[in-house]
Amino acid sequence: MHANQREHQILRLIEQRGFLSFQELDATMDASPATLRRDLERLAREGLIERIRGGAKQIGKKPVSVGAKQGLSGVPFHENATKNTARKQSIGRAAAALCVANEGVMIDGGSTTLQMCPYLDGLSLQVLTNSLHIVSALLPQIATRILVLGGSVFREQNIILSAAGEETMPQFHAPKLFMGAAAVGAQGVMQADVILVAAERRLIDRADEIIILVDSSKFLGSSGNVVCPLEEVDTIITDDGIGDKHVQMIEAAGVKLVVAKT
């Protein structure tokens, strides 16, 4: 495939998705990783795309308003909240143990990340979140300072999302981002909805360390919209139901694995 053909296809994919991870691009295009990186750099220099950590995103066009979308794809929060509760509690406890007193952290909305909240009391953290459930869980903790994102409330997940990009994003940077996922596989960390992907990419860009919280059932699904490749993740926290094959996959990607005892 000639360079102009590759560039046309790259631009088409980014226009369709808003964000394209390098791993997705590498899996889609018949070209070497080095060639694809040069293509992305060239398109970025020409002002046609914006290079960001882990891939590229569209510029020069307003995203679709969140109000135009009736709801999010995927399993609603109230259904997820009752699944694998004991495993999620163990994962939440292990995740909270990684927090350092008085630091700032970002906690993405989800039924597993919610389980961190009881174990954060007394750490005097500053927490940026998009989840109304997490806000509610943290409110009784007098020493915990809470920041929330601007945007529209999506009732399926009880989270606040904005398709307007950085306009409603506080100027906040954190050492750690704690994030859930609909699935984790060799392709990377996945979510069911592209709006979630775009929102989580904005959080990723503001964190030093990406920590994924998923119970072991999330390794059994391998489809979804890729948020980031595994190599971009620093730590995965899961339960002791994870299989050897998935342990090897995580270790091969150079990701630290924390297994919480259920």
Side-chain angles (χ1 to χ4, degrees):
M1 183 182 293
H2 294 297
N4 59 345
Q5 293 174 306
R6 288 196 310 272
E7 290 179 1
H8 177 76
Q9 189 168 347
I10 290 169
L11 291 172
R12 181 174 58 82
L13 289 170
I14 292 177
E15 183 178 4
Q16 290 173 348
R17 306 181 189 189
F19 165 78
L20 183 65
S21 74
F22 185 81
Q23 186 158 346
E24 282 184 287
L25 182 62
D26 191 26
T28 303
M29 307 286 284
D30 184 18
S32 70
T35 296
L36 295 176
R37 287 190 181 92
R38 286 194 294 270
D39 288 340
L40 292 178
E41 295 297 339
R42 184 164 54 253
L43 290 170
R45 286 197 303 270
E46 294 173 359
L48 298 175
I49 63 170
E50 181 179 346
R51 284 284 270 135
I52 59 175
R53 184 179 178 183
K57 69 177 183 179
Q58 187 179 14
I59 60 174
K61 181 179 178 181
K62 288 187 177 181
V64 177
S65 169
V66 294
K69 188 175 175 66
Q70 296 302 311
L72 295 175
S73 303
V75 181
F77 181 91
H78 71 273
E79 293 183 21
N80 262 330
T82 58
K83 296 178 180 178
N84 303 319
T85 305
R87 295 180 178 184
K88 292 175 180 179
Q89 288 172 344
S90 298
I91 293 167
R93 186 186 303 113
L98 299 180
C99 294
V100 178
N102 300 307
E103 75 175 345
V105 299
M106 294 185 286
I107 306 178
D108 191 35
S111 60
T112 307
T113 52
L114 176 64
Q115 297 300 330
M116 293 179 62
C117 295
Y119 308 104
L120 301 179
D121 198 6
L123 291 177
S124 299
L125 298 180
Q126 185 172 18
V127 178
L128 173 68
T129 185
N130 56 9
S131 167
L132 297 178
H133 286 298
I134 289 175
V135 169
S136 180
L138 294 177
L139 277 175
Q141 301 179 13
I142 303 302
T144 302
R145 292 162 292 167
I146 306 167
L147 292 173
V148 294
L149 304 181
S152 299
V153 175
F154 283 71
R155 290 179 174 84
E156 301 89 344
Q157 305 296 342
N158 216 9
I159 58 176
I160 304 167
L161 298 176
S162 172
E166 302 294 338
E167 296 173 7
T168 58
M169 184 78 170
Q171 294 299 311
F172 189 83
H173 186 91
K176 300 180 182 79
L177 164 62
F178 296 91
M179 192 171 76
V184 177
Q187 302 90 339
V189 177
M190 289 166 277
Q191 289 289 11
D193 198 287
V194 292
I195 289 183
L196 283 174
V197 171
E200 289 176 346
R201 285 302 319 177
R202 292 196 288 273
L203 295 177
I204 286 171
D205 289 342
R206 292 172 177 266
D208 295 329
E209 186 177 353
I210 303 166
I211 303 168
I212 305 298
L213 282 61
V214 285
D215 68 78
S216 54
S217 70
K218 298 298 178 66
F219 295 100
L220 303 178
S222 59
S223 63
N225 299 287
V226 176
V227 179
C228 65
L230 278 183
E231 291 77 10
E232 196 172 345
V233 174
D234 295 285
T235 304
I236 292 178
I237 306 176
T238 190
D239 59 79
D240 49 13
I242 186 172
D244 292 341
K245 178 179 71 173
H246 297 117
V247 170
Q248 293 168 7
M249 174 189 73
I250 293 168
E251 291 176 346
V255 179
K256 179 182 178 181
L257 176 63
V258 175
V259 178
K261 300 295 183 182
T262 303

